[in-house]
């Protein structure tokens, strides 16, 4: 599937990014996202705005003589799909480096690294995307596995969630990590039976090997940004919320957009190290209108899979309560700065303790302001008593449906049956009046709107598997899923008045697929092909 999509995105880059006057889109079901009028025959676009939504005859009467007619030929159109949580540079770099997200076993990982090492005989090896929870070996990789694949080579391979890495013996030696090395706060160095580091570094312990792999060059990062933008347009995304952004990456992204080399919307939430501008000036928008800076991204805890998520009670399959990654004094100080300039705070929280602490800190920092639209990224495991607090405080639950259909293979072991219902509770949030903005967390996940929609409405694995542990009652309706991927992300970045639905006067962002997500069988959603992506009235992808 990746090869097909990459071929499609290369074709998409041939489109110019100039306003084309009027666009008349018709010829298939058009889902507006407006409850009072959920469907229409046609959408008429003039420059960057929607001029009319309704019946085809009326749309034609309003269109200019030189209107560009786009016949969907049965394809279904929707408001522009927006990935409410992703990592743009990482998405591009995944396509340009050793991509391990399809690795199905530890043996395959070793074989893949061995082949890559043979093809690239010089220099350090970096890759990302592996996740061991589906592997038949049922364990983390170790330095011994990497050493067997490429003896003597410096190798660092990041887990898909970004919260753990495995390093080879040579990499550990270069970083000076030994049995006497103390893990930094919020991190853990896993040890083997011999008492020596086994290669696995959890959360902040990854900083110990940060200098082992040379950082990507400016040229490579520019290529990664362009690749990611084109890939996302080819998948049907019209925008994304870009998390944990470094200042130099933001500068490059603004420059690429100014050059006309980047065509989808990006709302940026800065890493604290690069947040000086937004914390002093507040939210910013570039000259193209595509690249905006909304606020800061913080981390409360780690990930569930690597047992770094902060839990109220110990893990069911291991000792410990997880990790707190941001000290309270630092977190509250940053929140105070953000609040002073109306910048948003997006806080990563996975575990029920992590989510509770985040809500506590938000409540203390907001001082009764329920209109700030601060966000909890993932909102993954939430205690019953904390669900209504999201709505009470005006906090957005920024969630990734695909996390559930991956994590639920191992979450029962981590959490135990008694608290498993706390996980991935989209329907509970919606019933409590909470805004749920859906995303993918790519490159942790694939970054495909079809997968996110499928997961939200069906809550089964990609192979169709589910059991009683998966709490299928948390699946949402098609209309709710559409809102989670369109209007809710617009609301989450203060753009719901101009984006998120197909209505006259709003910005002309639109996505179309060759199958209708609102009516087809869930498994068919995964095979639908994106056929049209429009941003600001410009066709940025067409199949």
């Amino acid at each position: 599937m990746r090869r097909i999509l990459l071929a499609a995105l290369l074709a998409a880059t041939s489109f110019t990014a100039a306003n084309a006057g009027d666009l008349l889109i018709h010829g298939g079901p058009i889902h507006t996202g407006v409850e009072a009028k959920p469907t229409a025959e046609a959408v008429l676009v003039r420059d960057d705005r929607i001029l009319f939504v309704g019946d085809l005859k009326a749309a034609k009467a309003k269109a200019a003589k030189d209107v560009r007619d786009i016949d969907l030929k049965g394809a279904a159109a929707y408001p522009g799909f927006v990935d409410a949580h992703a990592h743009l540079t990482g998405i591009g770099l995944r396509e340009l480096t050793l991509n391990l997200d399809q690795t199905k076993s530890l043996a395959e990982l070793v074989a893949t690294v061995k082949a890559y090492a043979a093809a690239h005989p010089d220099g350090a090896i970096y890759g990302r995307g592996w996740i061991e929870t589906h592997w038949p070996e049922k364990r983390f990789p170790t330095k011994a596995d990497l050493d067997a694949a490429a003896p003597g080579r410096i190798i660092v391979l990041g887990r898909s969630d970004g919260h753990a890495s495995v390093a080879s013996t040579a990499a550990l030696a270069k970083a000076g990590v030994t049995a006497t090395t103390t893990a930094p706060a919020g991190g853990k160095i896993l040890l083997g039976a011999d008492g020596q580091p086994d290669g696995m570094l959890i959360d902040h312990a990854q900083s110990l090997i940060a200098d082992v792999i040379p950082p990507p060059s400016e040229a490579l990062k520019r290529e990664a940004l362009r690749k990611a933008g084109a890939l996302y347009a080819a998948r049907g995304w019209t925008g994304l919320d870009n998390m944990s952004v470094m200042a130099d990456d933001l500068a490059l992204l603004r420059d690429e957009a100014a050059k006309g080399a980047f065509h989808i919307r990006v709302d940026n939430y800065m890493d604290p190290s690069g947040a000086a501008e937004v914390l002093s000036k507040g939210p910013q928008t570039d000259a193209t209108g595509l690249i905006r800076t909304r606020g800061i991204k913080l981390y409360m805890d780690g990930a569930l899979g690597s047992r770094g998520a902060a839990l109220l009670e110990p893990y069911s399959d291991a000792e410990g309560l997880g990790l707190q990654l941001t000290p309270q004094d630092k977190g509250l100080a940053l929140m105070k700065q953000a609040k002073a300039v109306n910048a948003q705070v997006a806080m990563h929280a996975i575990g029920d303790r992590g989510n509770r602490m985040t809500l506590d800190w938000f409540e203390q920092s907001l001082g009764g302001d329920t209109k700030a639209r601060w966000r909890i990224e993932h909102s993954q495991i939430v205690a019953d008593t904390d669900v209504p607090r999201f709505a009470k405080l005006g906090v957005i639950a920024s969630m990734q449906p695909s996390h559930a259909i991956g994590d639920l293979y191992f979450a029962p072991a981590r959490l135990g049956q008694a608290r498993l219902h706390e996980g991935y509770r989209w329907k509970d949030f919606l019933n409590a009046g909470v805004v749920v903005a859906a995303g993918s967390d790519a490159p942790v996940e694939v970054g495909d709107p079809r997968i996110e929609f499928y997961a939200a409405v069906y809550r089964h694995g990609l192979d169709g598997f589910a059991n009683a542990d998966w709490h299928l009652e948390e699946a949402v309706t098609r209309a709710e899923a559409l809102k989670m991927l369109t209007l809710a992300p617009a609301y989450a970045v203060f753009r719901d008045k101009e984006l998120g639905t197909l209505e006259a006067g709003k910005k002309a962002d639109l996505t179309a697929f060759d199958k209708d997500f609102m009516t087809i069988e869930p498994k068919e959603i995964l095979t639908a092909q994106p056929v049209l992506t429009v941003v600001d009235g410009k066709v940025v992808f067409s199949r």
Side-chain angles (χ1 to χ4, degrees):
M1 182 178 292
R2 178 176 290 110
R3 291 190 181 94
I4 294 172
L5 286 171
L6 287 175
L9 76 88
L10 291 173
T13 59
S14 63
F15 287 99
T16 60
N19 285 337
D22 284 10
L23 293 177
L24 178 60
I25 301 168
H26 64 95
I30 295 172
H31 299 281
T32 66
V34 179
E35 290 184 13
K37 294 183 178 180
T39 60
E41 288 185 331
V43 174
L44 179 62
V45 174
R46 179 158 295 166
D47 295 326
D48 65 338
R49 296 277 176 176
I50 296 173
L51 183 65
F52 174 80
V53 180
D55 68 86
L56 180 58
K57 183 177 180 180
K60 286 183 175 180
K62 295 176 181 292
K65 291 182 178 180
D66 60 348
V67 62
R68 180 179 174 184
D69 188 282
I70 298 180
D71 187 344
L72 294 170
K73 298 180 180 178
Y78 316 86
F81 280 33
V82 175
D83 189 336
H85 182 115
H87 305 272
L88 188 64
T89 304
I91 293 166
L93 289 175
R94 178 177 61 181
E95 304 301 327
L96 299 173
T97 56
L98 178 56
N99 187 343
L100 301 168
D101 69 359
Q102 299 299 312
T103 306
K104 296 178 174 59
S105 68
L106 179 55
E108 184 179 330
L109 176 82
V110 172
T112 300
V113 174
K114 184 175 182 179
Y116 186 89
H120 303 80
D122 299 316
I125 298 173
Y126 173 75
R128 179 175 173 173
W130 63 268
I131 185 165
E132 83 295 340
T133 52
H134 302 305
W135 291 351
E137 295 89 351
K138 300 297 182 184
R139 68 171 175 85
F140 286 136
T142 66
K143 64 183 180 183
D145 297 313
L146 304 191
D147 295 346
R153 295 287 293 273
I154 292 174
I155 309 170
V156 176
L157 306 179
R159 194 172 187 267
S160 66
D161 58 14
H163 288 271
S165 295
V166 61
S168 65
T169 296
L172 293 173
K174 183 175 181 180
V177 177
T178 69
T180 61
T181 301
T182 300
K188 185 183 296 184
I189 301 170
L190 300 191
L191 304 178
D194 60 358
Q196 297 295 318
D198 72 358
M200 279 296 301
L201 303 167
I202 310 298
D203 283 306
H204 284 177
Q206 295 176 98
S207 65
L208 298 172
I209 55 170
D211 296 330
V212 168
I213 302 294
S217 65
E218 178 181 314
L220 181 61
K221 287 203 286 187
R222 284 184 183 275
E223 184 181 1
L225 291 171
R226 292 192 296 268
K227 178 81 75 175
L231 177 61
Y232 256 44
R235 286 179 173 164
W237 298 111
T238 59
L240 73 150
D241 296 354
N242 193 19
M243 295 292 162
S244 302
V245 184
M246 308 303 291
D248 57 345
D249 286 6
L250 176 62
L252 293 177
L253 181 58
R254 285 170 168 169
D255 190 51
E256 290 299 311
K259 292 177 179 177
F262 195 89
H263 308 302
I264 65 173
R265 301 187 191 279
V266 182
D267 283 273
N268 295 279
Y269 292 80
M270 307 302 295
D271 182 86
S273 67
E277 179 186 74
V278 74
L279 290 178
S280 61
K281 300 179 181 179
Q284 303 286 309
T285 304
D286 80 334
T288 71
L290 294 176
I291 313 303
R292 307 198 317 160
T293 311
R294 288 298 322 159
I296 59 172
K297 162 73 182 306
L298 305 175
Y299 284 88
M300 178 58 79
D301 61 356
L304 186 67
S306 53
R307 299 184 183 88
L311 301 182
L312 292 168
E313 300 292 338
Y315 280 83
S316 293
D317 60 353
E319 295 181 359
L321 295 169
L323 302 170
Q324 179 180 337
L325 302 186
T326 300
Q328 183 171 348
D329 56 349
K330 179 180 179 181
L332 290 175
L334 287 167
M335 290 178 186
K336 182 178 180 180
Q337 287 182 267
K339 183 67 169 61
V341 294
N342 295 317
Q344 287 177 279
V345 175
M347 174 72 92
H348 163 117
I350 299 287
D352 49 12
R353 180 165 61 95
N355 276 279
R356 179 169 293 176
M357 287 193 295
T358 301
L359 290 168
D360 290 345
W361 294 9
F362 279 12
E363 185 171 15
Q364 180 176 342
S365 300
L366 289 170
D369 181 1
T370 61
K371 308 296 184 183
R373 303 188 192 182
W374 285 14
R375 311 159 47 132
I376 298 184
E377 305 304 313
H378 313 307
S379 307
Q380 201 160 296
I381 315 297
V382 180
D384 294 342
T385 55
D386 288 325
V387 171
R389 295 182 67 197
F390 279 75
K392 181 180 179 181
L393 297 174
V395 174
I396 294 163
S398 172
M399 305 179 75
Q400 299 71 49
S402 57
H403 281 353
I405 65 171
D407 290 9
L408 282 169
Y409 286 96
F410 65 83
R414 299 288 190 272
L415 298 173
Q417 291 298 319
R419 57 183 166 180
L420 188 56
H421 73 282
E422 293 184 354
Y424 321 94
R425 50 198 315 175
W426 317 313
K427 194 73 169 183
D428 286 345
F429 276 126
L430 293 176
N431 289 342
V434 179
V435 174
V436 179
S440 74
D441 202 10
V444 173
E445 303 285 355
V446 176
D448 190 325
R450 300 172 301 178
I451 294 175
E452 302 307 328
F453 199 100
Y454 165 90
V457 302
Y458 195 43
R459 205 175 170 94
H460 285 57
L462 296 180
D463 60 359
F465 173 80
N467 61 26
D469 290 342
W470 288 40
H471 286 277
L472 299 183
E473 72 276 6
E474 290 295 336
V476 303
T477 68
R478 309 286 179 117
E480 287 168 338
L482 182 63
K483 187 174 182 179
M484 286 163 59
L485 286 158
T486 54
L487 183 59
Y491 178 89
V493 296
F494 288 86
R495 301 203 79 169
D496 48 306
K497 300 300 183 185
E498 59 179 358
L499 291 169
T501 57
L502 299 177
E503 296 181 80
K506 283 197 168 185
K507 287 280 193 175
D509 287 15
L510 179 146
T511 299
F513 290 86
D514 66 357
K515 297 180 181 180
D516 189 349
F517 289 5
M518 310 302 282
T519 59
I520 59 177
E521 291 295 317
K523 64 180 181 180
E524 289 189 67
I525 295 170
L526 298 173
T527 64
Q529 295 299 310
V531 297
L532 179 69
T533 308
V534 177
V535 178
D536 253 355
K538 309 174 188 71
V539 175
V540 298
F541 171 80
S542 179
R543 187 186 301 275

